[in-house]
Amino acid sequence: MRSSHALVALCAALLVLPAAARAAGPDDKSDPKFAARALAEHGNALYEAGKYQEAIDIFLEADKLYHAPTLMLALGRAYAGAGKLVEARDVYRRMVGEQLPAGAPPPFVEAQRAAKVELAAVDKRIPTVQIAVRGGHGGILTVRIDEAPLADWTPARVVPLNPGAHRVTVVPAGDVGVSREVTLAEGAQQRVEIELPGATPELVPVVVAPPPPPAPPPPPPPRRGSIIPAIVGFGVGAVGLGVGIGAGVGAANGASTLRKLCGGDVCAPGVSKQGQSDLSSANALATASTVGFVIAAAGAATGVVLLVVRPGSSGPQRAAIAIGPGSIVFTGEL
């Protein structure tokens, strides 16, 4: 069966050469197609002799000169004969994914169809290994298979390997590695456990604490209200102060007139009508002066409260005013 497969591949490679090229003279032998055909014949002879690695080297060289699906099919079969099933699968996958040009020779089409069939068969023969590591103190690990680094290793990764003996090595960062030998049969699925210094009897699950909840956003800055009400309060106080001062001056003038008419602060009975009128006016002005000063004090205090509180503000509003006989008490917090 092996000889017939190789013969088909070689014959197909020869058939794809144009008829004119096969009939050409010696001067045309410099064409890469002729060199590729000569290499294919030599590779087929090596394959028939069971020298698969040498045949692989020859088929690779022929493919560099003239790429053809027929040569690639012979290469895949040589890999499979050498037990390099992973490499054979890669060759078949490239062949299956290759887009043949329109009007490709029938041997090319047939080689691609054969690659699909042989790819499925090779896939079932490839063994796999899963590497489990204990210990290592949670540090960075380097995993090597047959001294070749295994990129992107994880404990769950299943690694396809060729049948036969392999050496698995795990090296913790800054420490000495630990190796295990494993022999894989075709189609086997094997697990390799490697125990590093500091390993526990059982795999310790990693518990990740949930992150703390995010801090609440800061409250918006307090909104400052309008100062217009405070200005109005101060204005009322200013008016009251003016009234108090004016009425006080009028009351003082009235008292001076009474002293001239009566010779004292109180007129005796029978005093003139002018004295009585001046006395009434003085009393009224005195009362008005008192009221004016009270209004002035109340307006000033109200203005201070409104300046602190500011109506419409979003901040705390803690201010109060108390007006009593002879006193005005203001309490608040800035």
Side-chain angles (χ1 to χ4, degrees):
M1 179 65 69
R2 183 175 68 245
S3 299
S4 62
H5 282 173
L7 183 59
V8 170
L10 177 60
C11 292
L14 298 177
L15 286 173
V16 297
L17 295 176
R22 292 197 299 273
D27 294 341
D28 294 327
K29 291 183 180 179
S30 60
D31 191 308
K33 295 180 181 180
F34 285 95
R37 182 177 63 177
L39 288 174
E41 292 174 347
H42 182 42
N44 178 67
L46 293 171
Y47 181 90
E48 292 291 331
K51 299 179 179 181
Y52 301 116
Q53 185 57 54
E54 295 181 34
I56 290 170
D57 296 336
I58 294 298
F59 287 135
L60 286 173
E61 190 66 26
D63 184 67
K64 292 179 183 178
L65 296 174
Y66 180 68
H67 176 73
T70 47
L71 282 174
M72 295 301 291
L73 182 62
L75 175 63
R77 288 169 175 170
Y79 273 129
K84 297 184 176 182
L85 304 182
V86 175
E87 290 82 353
R89 182 186 64 179
D90 293 341
V91 171
Y92 292 143
R93 282 180 174 176
R94 289 198 301 270
M95 290 184 64
V96 170
E98 185 175 357
Q99 184 69 36
L100 295 179
F108 284 15
V109 177
E110 176 60 25
Q112 190 176 62
R113 185 202 62 78
K116 292 179 182 180
V117 176
E118 296 182 27
L119 172 60
V122 165
D123 258 333
K124 296 178 181 179
R125 296 172 56 194
I126 296 177
T128 60
V129 65
Q130 187 177 6
I131 305 169
V133 180
R134 298 176 186 270
H137 304 289
I140 299 176
L141 303 177
T142 300
V143 178
R144 297 197 298 262
I145 298 180
D146 300 329
E147 302 306 321
L150 180 62
D152 302 326
W153 168 82
T154 64
R157 180 177 175 183
V158 176
V159 183
L161 295 175
N162 289 321
H166 298 277
R167 184 180 181 86
V168 179
T169 305
V170 178
V171 184
D175 206 342
V176 179
V178 177
S179 299
R180 292 287 182 272
E181 301 289 341
V182 57
T183 301
L184 302 175
E186 288 192 7
Q189 298 178 356
Q190 194 160 335
R191 174 185 172 92
V192 176
E193 294 188 0
I194 295 181
E195 185 172 309
L196 299 175
T200 57
E202 299 294 336
L203 292 176
V204 180
V206 179
V207 179
V208 181
R223 185 177 64 254
R224 303 297 290 174
S226 173
I227 64 172
I228 294 178
I231 295 175
V232 173
F234 285 127
V236 172
V239 172
L241 181 62
V243 171
I245 293 174
V249 171
N253 290 336
S256 176
T257 301
L258 285 174
R259 282 194 290 271
K260 290 179 181 179
L261 293 176
C262 302
D265 292 335
V266 181
C267 292
V271 74
S272 65
K273 291 181 178 181
Q274 180 63 39
Q276 293 291 340
S277 176
D278 290 342
L279 178 60
S280 299
S281 297
N283 290 334
L285 290 174
T287 301
S289 177
T290 301
V291 173
F293 283 120
V294 171
I295 293 174
T302 302
V304 172
V305 172
L306 294 176
L307 183 62
V308 174
V309 175
R310 293 195 185 184
S313 173
S314 61
Q317 301 182 6
R318 286 179 283 185
I321 183 171
I323 302 176
S327 67
I328 299 176
V329 180
F330 168 78
T331 59
E333 181 178 322
L334 294 177

